[in-house]
Amino acid sequence: MGEATVAGADSRTADIVPGPGGVMTDEVGVVTGELTLRTELSDGQVTLRVQYKDADEWYAVTGARAPLADPAGLDAVHTIAVGLLHRPEG
């Protein structure tokens, strides 16, 4: 899996398949199907974004922004996010 690059941001990516109901985004509402999740850290804030797999546009996951005081926690936040959102069995 490739690393997404955002100016000034550190990020992790993973391919996910959300369960029924998909993932709510700020820009387009619910997205479903094969997605890529990006957990990014910029200016002390961690933000989750998703895109349709291999698409160009990223969407902010609704309610998925929080302060992260220690950048070393990015891997743990990403692992938890994947665990919560990746539900291929429903």
Side-chain angles (χ1 to χ4, degrees):
M1 287 179 247
E3 290 294 313
T5 302
V6 177
D10 190 9
S11 64
R12 306 290 181 267
T13 59
D15 292 335
I16 64 168
V17 177
V23 176
M24 179 62 76
T25 67
D26 292 345
E27 297 86 354
V28 296
V30 174
V31 293
T32 60
E34 293 185 7
L35 306 174
T36 300
L37 172 69
R38 180 173 75 204
T39 306
E40 64 184 44
L41 178 63
S42 181
D43 298 325
Q45 289 279 315
V46 67
T47 303
L48 300 182
R49 299 185 192 281
V50 291
Q51 73 176 176
Y52 290 105
K53 191 171 165 144
D54 300 321
D56 293 327
E57 300 84 15
W58 288 94
Y59 307 114
V61 176
T62 299
R65 173 185 290 266
L68 184 65
D70 185 352
L74 183 61
D75 286 331
V77 171
H78 181 68
T79 298
I80 291 166
V82 170
L84 290 170
L85 296 175
H86 183 60
R87 300 277 184 223
E89 304 301 319

